[in-house]
Amino acid sequence: AGDVAVPQVVIEPLETAKAVTTQRLKVIGDLTPKDKAQYGDNVVWGWTFFRKETNPKFSQQAAEEAEVNGEVYLVPESIYIEAIELEASEGQEIVLTSLTSNSLVLQSNTLRPSTTYALRLTATTPHPLKDDQGLTLEGYGELEIETAGPPPVPGELRITPEMESVVDEEKTITALSWTAMDTPLTYMFSYRSDVKDNFSEPMDLRVNPISASEQKVWCMRAGL
């Protein structure tokens, strides 16, 4: 590339601190405004995926000994390896968009929980000075994301009063002993009016989840 700068790629950060593995992941990247003005649509895109793992060559004992001796221990504690779980497999859609697009959508339940990934978007552009020689420039941007832990472990769901009650009597719904790796938990209470119908949609009792594990409701219709 000589002294010509490679194209600069910027990937938009996620709106949440951690990616939820049970939901689709959507990411988009692009060139910086300066490079976009220069290259326009004359860009070849490519996505690659890496997963952060413990480095098998790292030794905690050797690191501590080096620190005591005033030496620098150069072996990193963790490394990135190719995320093979995101490779296409027969009969399973993992990447829902083209790998040669600057936008990316990953299918739900493909990322591992409690894991750090690096999503790399590479841009290949014609060399501005040596395009006639078939030379290109290549630059990339990376987005490091951390996935949330696995779904909460269900505990007990208690409704009081337990027996049938009149429709205008207040009911209290309490979630007891629900646990998760990622805290604090939030709760969304809902109910189904027809438990015999597997296709009946649950009715949420609030617009948004709440931090409290207990909710008082008046809106159960007659017969529930």
Side-chain angles (χ1 to χ4, degrees):
D3 55 358
V4 178
V6 299
Q8 301 296 306
V9 179
V10 179
I11 304 177
E12 295 182 9
L14 301 183
E15 296 180 355
T16 56
K18 294 185 178 181
V20 180
T21 59
T22 55
Q23 299 175 0
R24 288 183 177 181
L25 178 70
K26 300 179 181 180
V27 177
I28 188 169
D30 210 336
L31 297 177
T32 61
K34 177 182 177 181
D35 286 341
K36 192 172 183 179
Q38 178 174 0
Y39 298 108
D41 296 329
N42 200 5
V43 183
V44 176
W45 298 102
W47 287 97
T48 48
F49 314 111
F50 304 91
R51 184 180 69 251
K52 191 176 185 179
E53 293 288 347
T54 300
N55 186 355
K57 297 182 180 180
F58 176 81
S59 168
Q60 184 63 42
Q61 180 180 351
E64 293 174 355
E65 290 176 353
E67 183 177 3
V68 170
N69 296 328
E71 300 172 349
V72 179
Y73 185 66
L74 299 178
V75 181
E77 186 172 355
S78 58
I79 56 175
Y80 278 94
I81 64 174
E82 186 178 354
I84 59 175
E85 66 271 22
L86 299 182
E87 294 180 356
S89 58
E90 185 176 353
Q92 183 180 10
E93 281 189 307
I94 296 178
V95 181
L96 303 181
T97 48
S98 172
L99 290 175
T100 58
S101 166
N102 66 318
S103 61
L104 173 71
V105 179
L106 294 178
Q107 181 63 279
S108 57
N109 298 307
T110 54
L111 296 173
R112 298 179 181 179
S114 303
T115 303
T116 300
Y117 287 90
L119 311 180
R120 177 180 294 183
L121 176 61
T122 301
T124 304
T125 64
H127 195 294
L129 304 179
K130 302 179 180 179
D131 185 26
D132 56 341
Q133 300 177 26
L135 297 180
T136 59
L137 296 176
E138 186 175 285
Y140 67 86
E142 282 189 352
L143 177 65
E144 185 177 279
I145 64 169
E146 184 179 354
T147 58
V153 178
E156 178 185 354
L157 186 63
R158 182 178 299 171
I159 302 177
T160 54
E162 297 181 1
M163 306 303 292
E164 294 181 2
S165 57
V166 296
V167 69
D168 58 351
E169 182 177 354
E170 184 180 69
K171 291 181 182 290
T172 300
I173 306 175
T174 307
L176 300 172
S177 303
W178 289 60
T179 59
M181 294 180 62
D182 295 308
T183 57
L185 292 175
T186 57
Y187 300 84
M188 172 63 80
F189 295 98
S190 61
Y191 70 93
R192 286 170 50 196
S193 59
D194 187 354
V195 296
K196 297 181 180 179
D197 183 2
N198 293 330
F199 299 100
S200 66
E201 294 293 328
M203 300 290 293
D204 293 336
L205 295 174
R206 294 184 69 91
V207 175
N208 298 306
I210 58 177
S211 58
S213 61
E214 179 178 291
Q215 179 177 345
K216 298 182 184 297
V217 296
W218 299 81
C219 54
M220 297 281 194
R221 66 182 179 83
L224 298 180

